[in-house]
Amino acid sequence: MEVCFLRGLLLVVLWAWTLADDGQVTFVSELSSKPAQKLSKYGWYGNVRLQRFHIPEESAVARWLFTVTKGHSFHCGQHNVTIHIQYGAPPVINPTGTKFPNATLWSPCLSLILPVTSHSSTTFNLSNPAPGDWYIGAHLPEDDGRIEQKGFPSCSYFFQPQLSIRRAVDTPILQQGTFLQQTAAPDKPARLKLYVPEFASSLSVSVADCSSGEGADGENCSLLLRLGSTSLQQRPVTVNCSGITCSAALSNPPWDTWLRVVVESSLGNRTVTFSIVSNYTVGCKPKSVGLKVDDDITKLRSNSSYANSTSAGNSSVVTDTAALYNESVSLLTPLLPSACVWNIPVLYEEVDVLSLRFTPVNGPNVSVTDTHPTLLTYPLHPQATGGTLNLQLTLNTTNVTLGNGSSVVACLSPWAPVLELNHSQPCRTALFGGYGVHVNVSVPKAVVRLPFPQSTTWYLTLQLTCNSSDCGNTSLVSVLPEVFISACVEDCGTYGECRLLRSYSYLYAACVCKAGWSGWGCTDDSTAQSYRRQLAATLLLTLSNLSFLPAMVVAIKRCYITEASVYLFTMFFSTFYHACDQPGVAVLCIMDYDTLQYCDFLGSVCSIWVTILCMARIRDTFKYTLFMLGALLIAMSMQLDRKGLWNLLGPVLCAILFMVIAWVYRGAKRRQCYPPSWRRWVFFLLPGALCALIGVCLYIFAETEDNYYYTHSLWHILVASCVVFLLPPKEKDREAMGWSRGWSWSWSWRPRVCGYTLCQSSKDELYTVT
């Protein structure tokens, strides 16, 4: 009797402790912040500033703070910053409204608009967020096409996201078939979690014995039962409980994960007491393969041999289709009573960065029946979510002929598979949607592309369906499912380039389009340039460099051979750099693009450097020393940052400084303005300076993506014209002191007497001993 009393007292104390702890879950705070990043106008996905946040399990509330700050003090007007939020993978966005490639499916993400003048901030709150990685992307409005030169002040905005979460550390666990006493108040909902094992086909959560402790009103508890988390695209399953009992049932619940259960009360300030229980059914457990791994190693070796022979071009491996078909039929062993699908093992193979391949271990062909679905599993890690998930399903009708009403239905779904497929049932699970396709005799191939897929396990369910319940003699067909991860959709096509991007340690890929093409895979030709326009642009940018020929002729005629060689270098590399830099198909690259660009930039700055030093009229020794020293320093600065503003202004200002010093010195020595001739100023220096000024203004302020072919070609012509005007006339004693003397000594013979050289004076034609 005493033992029974103590046992009962212990049960009462435990029950009272449970009630006292109901609604009193302990929450802790966790904060995370990312550095501020400079925003860019949207032209392609590389302009998006992508940040990744991790939300742990049992997080009750997530609060983001988005701050945008203007970088400069001058007035830039108001700009709208677009912020995208996506769970599980980077957001797939389309701000410009372009077309997506065929068979490319995507779900819109949550987008926020933040108007910014100088400093703005906004918050975004999310209750019961889904655990895992969340991605934040931000960008300015669409790019207007204006080309901004690096180094000039411009409107800059910096974006910084911060995250604050409230996480429960002692959430009660709802066990299978075990009732748990809980309480819920309007401001303190009951929070629980339960584990859903793999191969679960159904799940139910029931609430019973609901009581509010208010007499007659105790029969109506008004509870809200929520199953699942919030991931923006998917909401929790919500059931409104108006009586003392209610339940929520999930068909095809997510596998191998913790499921959140939240019970809320809406009865004013009343506290509701209830009992809650969960039950699930594991109806799809496959046959155990045991601990012996020799068979798996044999399959891996054969699969590797098949892959190597296929990559080597040996097509004889797949010629015997009948043998593969018979082999796949033999693999369909009888199902266990607890099984509901044919489970096919899949080989996971990492090929390259953002390149994965999934191959059925038993061979490329997979058998599909009308009695049970065939299931293939594809685990997708977070490192692979920055690419594109591709599904290609091909029907093999070599040995089997399908009827007109027969087809193979497929469903690709995340988190859990669809365990029953037919024409009427949608391709979706309890909490997540899927992507359905079908193949038949008229359409033997189907393709699905998913940019930035969620980081989870994806399931492909296949089943043969017919018009009637009986498919007749055709109850087994063979299909070829190809599932792989690629960096971009079809490698961005002809008019695009797939580029690998990085946000800290996270890698993702996107297409940058050219020649007016646009879209996620550069397949939208609404603004594409015609071949005639591409050819005209190439000819303009390349042939405009021929304007350096007059400058070279003038330089050679005036005995400025070094300067002429620099102009030749500039003309050659500028011509072939622009021939290689074209965005379309009218492209010619004689060497590496980076080399051509480097030589073009180097030659342009060196041309300006030698021209201004030549105008200074300093002695040849100092001039050629400055030529060489300046060329070395310019080469070094180009290697550091070839597009920097001071890489151009630095040599120009230094050369102008040398020229001004030389001119002032010469003018003070002669006591007159230098150059002394007014004709030199009016007909040469002023027109040359005007050409240079107009060219610089066009280069810095007027170039856009649309008029680049015309303005940059005009820049070539103006720069070459200003060289013609600014090159000084030939020096009077150039033959004695310049290159003419250097050439003449190789053609003339000067006698040497007793170790001395007889020199010829240009003035008195007398020989003297030096």
Side-chain angles (χ1 to χ4, degrees):
M1 183 69 180
E2 184 176 355
V3 175
C4 294
F5 175 75
L6 292 177
R7 183 179 299 174
L9 181 61
L10 179 60
L11 292 176
V12 171
V13 170
L14 290 176
W15 182 78
W17 176 80
T18 304
L19 290 181
D21 192 56
D22 287 346
Q24 301 298 325
V25 177
T26 302
F27 293 96
V28 295
S29 175
E30 294 185 5
L31 305 174
S32 59
S33 178
K34 301 294 183 179
Q37 289 186 325
K38 185 179 179 180
L39 295 176
S40 300
K41 294 182 179 180
Y42 184 82
W44 66 295
Y45 204 86
N47 301 128
V48 178
R49 296 297 172 260
L50 189 66
Q51 304 278 13
R52 182 172 61 166
F53 290 90
H54 182 77
I55 293 183
E57 294 279 354
E58 305 177 9
S59 297
V61 178
R63 179 186 178 92
W64 276 278
L65 172 63
F66 304 120
T67 304
V68 179
T69 306
K70 189 175 72 170
H72 295 285
S73 59
F74 58 88
H75 180 69
C76 295
Q78 178 176 316
H79 289 276
N80 292 331
V81 176
T82 306
I83 304 171
H84 307 278
I85 307 174
Q86 177 74 19
Y87 166 69
V92 180
I93 62 176
N94 189 20
T96 57
T98 55
K99 298 178 183 178
F100 274 75
N102 295 330
T104 301
L105 305 178
W106 62 289
S107 300
C109 60
L110 177 66
S111 299
L112 306 175
I113 303 297
L114 178 60
V116 179
T117 53
S118 60
H119 179 88
S120 300
S121 61
T122 186
T123 59
F124 175 72
N125 298 328
L126 189 64
S127 299
N128 300 320
D133 291 333
W134 287 74
Y135 296 81
I136 309 295
H139 60 84
L140 291 171
E142 183 181 359
D143 191 2
D144 54 3
R146 182 174 174 270
I147 301 177
E148 296 182 355
Q149 301 301 325
K150 186 177 180 180
F152 281 90
S154 60
C155 295
S156 58
Y157 295 89
F158 294 88
F159 172 73
Q160 182 177 23
Q162 296 174 311
L163 173 64
S164 173
I165 63 174
R166 293 294 185 269
R167 180 174 62 88
V169 295
D170 50 1
T171 303
I173 298 176
L174 194 58
Q175 300 288 349
Q176 160 85 341
T178 303
F179 280 90
L180 189 62
Q181 294 289 333
Q182 291 289 300
T183 60
D187 57 341
K188 295 181 180 179
R191 301 180 182 275
L192 307 98
K193 65 178 181 179
L194 61 92
Y195 179 74
V196 182
E198 197 172 2
F199 309 113
S201 57
S202 63
L203 170 70
S204 65
V205 177
S206 302
V207 174
D209 301 332
C210 177
S211 175
S212 60
E214 296 294 335
D217 295 335
E219 299 297 328
N220 186 3
C221 296
S222 297
L223 293 177
L224 286 179
L225 176 61
R226 303 182 187 275
L227 300 182
S229 304
T230 302
S231 62
L232 300 182
Q233 285 74 29
Q234 302 294 334
R235 298 288 179 178
V237 174
T238 303
V239 177
N240 192 350
C241 302
S242 57
I244 60 175
T245 61
C246 72
S247 63
L250 301 181
S251 178
N252 301 325
W255 285 3
D256 191 21
T257 185
W258 288 94
L259 190 65
R260 185 174 301 170
V261 180
V262 179
V263 182
E264 301 178 2
S265 173
S266 57
L267 283 178
N269 295 326
R270 300 178 186 178
T271 299
V272 179
T273 304
F274 59 91
S275 299
I276 188 170
V277 65
S278 68
N279 290 281
Y280 55 80
T281 302
V282 179
C284 291
K285 186 177 293 186
K287 181 181 177 181
S288 176
V289 297
L291 295 177
K292 188 177 180 180
V293 297
D294 295 343
D295 297 337
D296 293 339
I297 297 299
T298 304
K299 292 178 181 179
L300 287 175
R301 288 177 178 175
S302 61
N303 190 283
S304 177
S305 301
Y306 168 77
N308 293 335
S309 60
T310 303
S311 62
N314 185 6
S315 59
S316 62
V317 179
V318 293
T319 55
D320 195 357
T321 308
L324 285 176
Y325 176 77
N326 295 330
E327 181 184 356
S328 62
V329 172
S330 64
L331 293 173
L332 294 180
T333 57
L335 289 174
L336 294 176
S338 62
C340 62
V341 295
W342 308 102
N343 197 284
I344 307 297
V346 175
L347 173 64
Y348 174 92
E349 184 178 3
E350 296 185 7
V351 181
D352 203 346
V353 179
L354 291 182
S355 179
L356 306 176
R357 182 172 58 191
F358 300 92
T359 308
V361 175
N362 297 324
N365 288 274
V366 174
S367 297
V368 181
T369 68
D370 61 335
T371 57
H372 292 84
T374 301
L375 179 64
L376 296 94
T377 304
Y378 306 102
L380 203 59
H381 302 294
Q383 294 81 2
T385 58
T388 301
L389 177 61
N390 301 270
L391 167 63
Q392 296 180 5
L393 191 65
T394 306
L395 178 64
N396 187 358
T397 58
T398 304
N399 297 319
V400 180
T401 303
L402 287 177
N404 293 331
S406 301
S407 62
V408 176
V409 182
C411 179
L412 182 65
S413 58
W415 298 94
V418 176
L419 300 179
E420 183 179 357
L421 288 174
N422 52 54
H423 289 291
S424 59
Q425 184 174 357
C427 175
R428 66 169 294 112
T429 58
L431 299 177
F432 301 94
Y435 303 91
V437 294
H438 69 278
V439 290
N440 49 35
V441 176
S442 58
V443 185
K445 185 175 182 179
V447 178
V448 173
R449 302 184 182 94
L450 303 178
F452 297 158
Q454 284 190 4
S455 173
T456 182
T457 300
W458 289 76
Y459 299 90
L460 179 62
T461 310
L462 305 167
Q463 190 169 2
L464 176 64
T465 60
C466 307
N467 280 339
S468 60
S469 59
D470 186 11
C471 291
N473 296 329
T474 307
S475 61
L476 179 69
V477 294
S478 179
V479 296
L480 178 63
E482 298 179 66
V483 178
F484 57 94
I485 296 290
S486 61
C488 299
V489 177
E490 293 187 344
D491 203 23
C492 301
T494 306
Y495 294 93
E497 179 184 354
C498 184
R499 294 189 180 179
L500 189 64
L501 308 172
R502 183 174 64 89
S503 175
Y504 300 98
S505 60
Y506 180 74
L507 297 177
Y508 58 104
C511 291
V512 54
C513 306
K514 54 187 179 181
W517 290 72
S518 58
W520 191 265
C522 300
T523 56
D524 190 345
D525 59 350
S526 57
T527 59
Q529 300 175 5
S530 63
Y531 177 75
R532 182 174 299 178
R533 183 180 178 184
Q534 297 176 30
L535 184 60
T538 304
L539 293 177
L540 276 175
L541 289 171
T542 54
L543 297 182
S544 61
N545 287 283
L546 297 178
S547 57
F548 276 95
L549 289 176
M552 294 168 54
V553 171
V554 171
I556 294 175
K557 187 176 180 180
R558 298 177 182 178
C559 298
Y560 298 120
I561 307 301
T562 305
E563 291 82 348
S565 63
V566 175
Y567 302 150
L568 176 63
F569 179 90
T570 303
M571 181 187 71
F572 177 84
F573 281 102
S574 180
T575 299
F576 287 100
Y577 163 66
H578 286 291
C580 185
D581 188 47
Q582 294 310 299
V585 294
V587 180
L588 174 63
C589 296
I590 63 172
M591 60 181 67
D592 183 65
Y593 173 83
D594 188 71
T595 303
L596 290 173
Q597 185 188 64
Y598 178 83
C599 293
D600 173 55
F601 284 35
L602 176 63
S604 301
V605 180
C606 286
S607 297
I608 301 175
W609 171 255
V610 299
T611 301
I612 300 177
L613 287 180
C614 184
M615 295 171 60
R617 288 290 187 99
I618 57 179
R619 292 186 178 181
D620 287 352
T621 304
F622 297 109
K623 184 175 74 170
Y624 293 122
T625 301
L626 290 176
F627 278 4
M628 195 63 188
L629 181 60
L632 294 175
L633 293 177
I634 292 171
M636 179 199 67
S637 63
M638 289 296 168
Q639 181 64 28
L640 295 176
D641 184 11
R642 67 189 62 172
K643 293 185 179 181
L645 175 63
W646 286 102
N647 289 339
L648 175 63
L649 290 183
V652 171
L653 295 179
C654 290
I656 292 177
L657 179 62
F658 288 132
M659 184 188 69
V660 171
I661 293 175
W663 283 10
V664 170
Y665 172 78
R666 192 172 286 110
K669 186 176 181 180
R670 298 181 180 182
R671 298 185 180 275
Q672 61 177 353
C673 181
Y674 185 85
S677 174
W678 63 270
R679 293 183 179 86
R680 182 67 186 170
W681 284 95
V682 173
F683 296 109
F684 294 97
L685 295 182
L686 292 181
L690 184 61
C691 289
L693 181 61
I694 295 175
V696 170
C697 292
L698 284 176
Y699 181 80
I700 296 177
F701 303 109
E703 283 189 355
T704 63
E705 296 289 346
D706 295 331
N707 65 13
Y708 176 78
Y709 316 116
Y710 314 107
T711 55
H712 202 77
S713 300
L714 187 58
W715 152 261
H716 291 162
I717 297 173
L718 290 173
V719 170
S721 301
C722 79
V723 170
V724 175
F725 284 107
L726 295 179
L727 272 179
K730 179 180 178 181
E731 299 180 10
K732 294 181 180 180
D733 56 347
R734 191 65 179 171
E735 292 186 3
M737 301 180 62
W739 284 92
S740 299
R741 186 184 65 179
W743 289 350
S744 61
W745 71 269
S746 61
W747 297 98
S748 61
W749 176 78
R750 297 177 184 177
R752 298 176 61 88
V753 180
C754 299
Y756 294 93
T757 302
L758 296 178
C759 301
Q760 181 180 8
S761 175
S762 60
K763 294 183 179 181
D764 52 10
E765 301 290 333
L766 297 177
Y767 288 91
T768 59
V769 179
T770 60

